[in-house]
Amino acid sequence: MLEARDLSLIYCNERNDEFYAIHDVNFFANRGEMIGIVGPSGSGKSSLLYILSGLKKPTVGTVYYQEHALEVMSYNELAEIRRKEYGFIFQRHFLINYLTVLDNVLSVVNRNDKFWRNTAINLLETLGIADFANQKPYKMSVGERQKVAIARALVSQPKIIFADEPTASLDHSNARMVMDIFASLKGEITILVATHDDSILDQADRVIHMWDGRIAKSSIPVSAIENIKQSNPIMHRS
Ligand SMILES: Nc1ncnc2c1ncn2[C@@H]1O[C@H](COP(=O)(O)OP(=O)(O)O)[C@@H](O)[C@H]1O
Ligand SMILES: [Mg+2]
């Protein structure tokens, strides 16, 4: 459903030296897969996520969403895909403190009719924060605020979630909760999670390891291998 071929993102410094933030990256994501993108700070995780989501143009290479190249789309076509099919979650949640929680969630669909209000309320209920619907987000804990950001990313019923360090400002139990929410959505929704902390990715179907702008290796978490083994007895043979 999402594919990228031969991506590079090149920056020039003042002396005109070329620097590769992303270097010859090939990538694909199938429908419903949860993929972790892991690597140290500066390895290119955010750049890759921004390119894949069409927020940034690569210097070289092409991204295909459902086999359509993003680079030949008009600004409006791309904006439409981002609004309807993509959901974004960032480390800092960028909630608007003078809007209620409910209006923050509805801000991405820019609608306030009964259908959308119900959809948003249902999501807040699922996430256990419906009591805050009419309050302002600054009164909430960081974990609760991140749940609002998740509700906002999900309200348009996106096909892909792009999450950049979604747990970085959370303690361990809130981080786990956020990853459990993602794990419950995979299968339906494709989820790409960039993080420097691979300990949160045990529920991912695949993990891509970035190093200096390149994909150094791709692996399957042990827990995912256990799941495959359970559904495929042949893999029990050694
Ligand atoms: N606007 C920019 N100009 C120059 N270099 C940049 C810019 N944005 C990111 N970089 C560099 O690209 C590399 C990858 O950055 P980034 O994708 O943010 O990595 P990560 O998310 O893994 O920390 C880093 O070395 C960073 O300094
Ligand atoms: Mg980053």
Side-chain angles (χ1 to χ4, degrees):
M1 95 171 302
L2 188 68
E3 189 175 356
R5 290 195 207 132
D6 304 323
L7 292 184
S8 287
L9 178 67
I10 305 170
Y11 289 113
C12 280
N13 66 11
E14 319 76 63
R15 303 208 318 271
N16 250 9
D17 302 323
E18 287 188 342
F19 166 84
Y20 283 76
I22 295 290
H23 204 152
D24 286 339
V25 164
N26 288 288
F27 176 90
F28 71 93
N30 294 320
R31 184 179 295 272
E33 255 190 314
M34 175 166 163
I35 301 177
I37 301 171
V38 73
S41 176
S43 58
K45 307 179 295 294
S46 297
S47 302
L48 180 59
L49 219 52
Y50 292 164
I51 292 172
L52 291 174
S53 63
L55 287 171
K56 214 177 186 95
K57 278 206 160 71
T59 318
V60 185
T62 310
V63 178
Y64 300 87
Y65 176 63
Q66 294 182 332
E67 286 163 31
H68 298 287
L70 300 188
E71 67 184 356
V72 300
M73 288 181 193
S74 68
Y75 178 85
N76 285 341
E77 280 174 311
L78 192 54
E80 190 79 349
I81 287 181
R82 276 206 298 264
R83 195 168 64 82
K84 288 195 173 153
E85 321 242 325
Y86 294 177
F88 295 94
I89 299 166
F90 301 100
Q91 172 183 354
R92 310 229 273 122
H93 33 70
F94 304 113
L95 298 179
I96 302 164
N97 268 328
Y98 62 81
L99 293 181
T100 64
V101 164
L102 183 59
D103 287 338
N104 265 283
V105 173
L106 291 171
S107 65
V108 284
V109 286
N110 207 8
R111 301 275 281 278
N112 204 352
D113 53 50
K114 205 168 173 193
F115 170 81
W116 287 105
R117 291 180 79 83
N118 283 341
T119 307
I121 297 270
N122 285 342
L123 265 172
L124 294 175
E125 267 166 15
T126 308
L127 295 167
I129 47 169
D131 288 349
F132 291 101
N134 296 312
Q135 298 196 25
K136 309 280 167 65
Y138 62 83
K139 296 189 171 164
M140 306 169 86
S141 71
V142 279
E144 288 158 350
R145 277 182 266 173
Q146 193 61 313
K147 285 186 180 177
V148 179
I150 292 172
R152 183 180 56 184
L154 291 174
V155 73
S156 59
Q157 296 173 328
K159 299 203 170 69
I160 305 189
I161 296 277
F162 297 90
D164 193 10
E165 304 277 3
T167 64
S169 57
L170 304 180
D171 63 22
H172 190 72
S173 71
N174 278 308
R176 177 120 308 268
M177 179 208 72
V178 166
M179 296 313 292
D180 287 345
I181 294 168
F182 289 162
S184 71
L185 296 168
K186 72 176 195 178
E188 285 296 305
I189 303 178
T190 305
I191 302 169
L192 309 187
V193 185
T195 176
H196 62 277
D197 176 10
D198 64 351
S199 74
I200 64 166
L201 292 175
D202 54 341
Q203 298 176 92
D205 299 305
R206 226 165 2 115
V207 177
I208 282 166
H209 301 256
M210 300 285 299
W211 189 266
D212 283 349
R214 295 179 189 266
I215 294 181
K217 68 169 180 171
S218 181
S219 66
I220 299 178
V222 176
S223 52
I225 295 173
E226 287 304 318
N227 290 340
I228 297 167
K229 272 188 189 167
Q230 275 162 21
S231 59
N232 182 358
I234 292 170
M235 283 193 60
H236 286 296
R237 292 182 198 158
S238 50

